[in-house]
Amino acid sequence: MIRTALFRTVGGALLQQSRRTLPSLRQTVPSLRRTVPSLRVSPVQQRWASSLPMNTVVLFVPQQEAWVVERMGRFHRILEPGLNFLIPVLDRIRYVQSLKEIVIDVPEQSAVSLDNVTLQIDGVLYLRILDPFKASYGVEDPEYAVTQLAQTTMRSELGKLTLDKVFRERESLNANIVHSINQASDDWGIRCLRYEIKDIHVPPRVKESMQMQVEAERRKRATVLESEGTRESAINVAEGSKQAQILASEGEKAEQINKAAGEAQAILAKAEAKAKAIRLLSVALDQQNGNAAASLSVAEQYVSAFSKLAKESNTVLLPSNAGNISSMVTQAMSIYGTLAKSSSKIPPEEDERPQDVLDQAESSK
């Protein structure tokens, strides 16, 4: 009841005072409009200096908002979301801070890289108010202060990088800017969550040189790839030729080995056949009328050889009695008889004769 009576008394006094001062205010307002210049409020200041709620004793604070209350011009407390009570005249809502994440467009600005290239860069800043008291009394305009800090930090960070690294290290550049902003904005009760670079504009001449560099790099890679392909092709051709020569030499080697083996087998077969013929001839000469058969064979061979004289060459050496066949046969048989007498002294072994030759000799007897 005491509180209600106090509210009625204070409310009545305020009402009477307003009635007394209202006519004078009506007379002074037009003169103030003529004398006081109009203030232009930027969109940045409009967000932070929005219309403040009036002290209606009973107040409902929305969620994710902090209302800073001053009592008699001095900080009193921060109203929490929900139902709150204030004392009229004494209490005044001085600041309203939003605790949501705030998105700020950083305007485009010029910066010079480490290799003296002028760049035009803009970005987006994401921040949140953690301490409404510091955000209200630590800085006049928090959004403007953070924006200016982001621009100066961006310029200083870009001055440490070359143009090529600016495009390759955008993530590290954003992280460095956020770290630098948070170090300076701790006293303001503001936390920078992230910073993203939107666009990077380079001068036209620098852009043309970059395009030429890219084209030269692509031509270089194409030339390198083409040379590697040519090298691989030459290596494959050489390897194929080498393998072909190896296979050809191995084939020729196998052919010569097979040919030599065939010739050796042919020589052995001829030698065995000749040995067998000689053995049969020796067995036949031991039989009855063997000398007459030998004389006949020698005479036939002499006639055959005599008929071939002077066919292959013009120079021929002949004995004085070349036309006497009987004397030539007799001479050949005498030579054979001499060789037969000398060979008869060495008796042949029975085991050396083949079994078929012995069988033929036994059947002839």
Side-chain angles (χ1 to χ4, degrees), residues 266-301:
I267 291 173
L268 290 176
K270 289 180 181 179
E272 290 178 358
K274 189 173 183 181
K276 186 176 181 180
I278 292 173
R279 289 174 183 174
L280 292 175
L281 182 60
S282 63
V283 172
L285 291 175
D286 291 340
Q287 296 178 3
Q288 187 178 4
N289 297 325
N291 293 331
S295 299
L296 179 61
S297 177
V298 171
E300 290 178 354
Q301 292 180 3

Side-chain angles (χ1 to χ4, degrees), residues 34-259:
R34 292 192 299 268
T35 58
V36 178
S38 61
L39 297 178
R40 294 182 180 179
V41 181
S42 63
V44 175
Q45 296 175 351
Q46 187 177 0
R47 181 186 302 173
W48 294 87
S50 58
S51 59
L52 298 176
M54 296 180 60
N55 185 359
T56 58
V57 181
V58 179
L59 301 175
F60 297 95
V61 180
Q63 185 67 32
Q64 289 299 101
E65 285 190 5
W67 293 5
V68 180
V69 178
E70 292 181 353
R71 176 168 291 180
M72 293 182 294
R74 186 176 181 180
F75 173 75
H76 176 58
R77 67 189 180 101
I78 298 175
L79 301 183
E80 300 293 335
L83 178 62
N84 293 272
F85 296 96
L86 295 179
I87 300 176
V89 180
L90 300 180
D91 294 339
R92 176 189 177 189
I93 301 173
R94 186 67 177 83
Y95 300 100
V96 175
Q97 305 291 355
S98 176
L99 303 181
K100 300 177 183 180
E101 184 173 349
I102 303 173
V103 182
I104 303 175
D105 288 331
V106 179
E108 185 177 1
Q109 62 174 339
S110 62
V112 180
S113 62
L114 185 61
D115 49 355
N116 297 325
V117 178
T118 304
L119 304 175
Q120 298 292 332
I121 297 181
D122 56 355
V124 180
L125 184 64
Y126 300 86
L127 55 89
R128 177 176 291 172
I129 296 177
L130 301 180
D131 191 346
F133 176 79
K134 292 182 179 180
S136 301
Y137 297 99
V139 63
E140 181 66 25
D141 192 343
E143 183 173 347
Y144 178 76
V146 172
T147 304
Q148 295 299 316
L149 181 60
Q151 290 180 343
T152 55
T153 306
M154 187 192 304
R155 282 194 293 266
S156 62
E157 291 295 332
L158 287 175
K160 302 176 183 178
L161 301 175
T162 59
L163 180 61
D164 296 335
K165 290 186 178 180
V166 169
F167 292 98
R168 290 198 302 263
E169 300 181 3
R170 290 180 86 170
E171 293 183 2
S172 62
L173 181 61
N174 295 335
N176 294 335
I177 293 174
V178 170
H179 180 68
S180 300
I181 293 175
N182 288 331
Q183 285 183 344
S185 62
D186 288 338
D187 296 335
W188 303 340
I190 299 174
R191 183 70 177 176
C192 180
L193 302 178
R194 56 190 177 274
Y195 180 85
E196 297 293 338
I197 296 176
K198 290 198 300 184
D199 296 322
I200 300 177
H201 302 284
V202 297
R205 293 184 179 179
V206 177
K207 189 174 182 180
E208 292 177 0
S209 63
M210 292 175 62
Q211 292 179 354
M212 294 174 61
Q213 182 180 359
V214 171
E215 293 177 358
E217 188 68 23
R218 290 179 179 175
R219 287 196 298 268
K220 176 184 175 182
R221 288 200 297 266
T223 305
V224 170
L225 292 176
E226 184 178 0
S227 63
E228 289 180 356
T230 304
R231 185 187 65 179
E232 293 293 334
S233 176
I235 290 174
N236 292 335
V237 171
E239 288 290 337
S241 178
K242 177 182 176 182
Q243 294 295 332
Q245 291 179 0
I246 291 173
L247 294 176
S249 62
E250 289 180 356
E252 186 177 357
K253 177 182 176 181
E255 181 181 0
Q256 292 178 359
I257 291 173
N258 294 332
K259 185 177 180 181

Side-chain angles (χ1 to χ4, degrees), residues 300-319:
E300 290 178 354
Q301 292 180 3
Y302 180 80
V303 173
S304 177
F306 190 79
S307 63
K308 294 180 181 180
L309 292 176
K311 285 186 178 181
E312 295 181 358
S313 178
N314 296 328
T315 303
V316 180
L317 297 177
L318 296 175

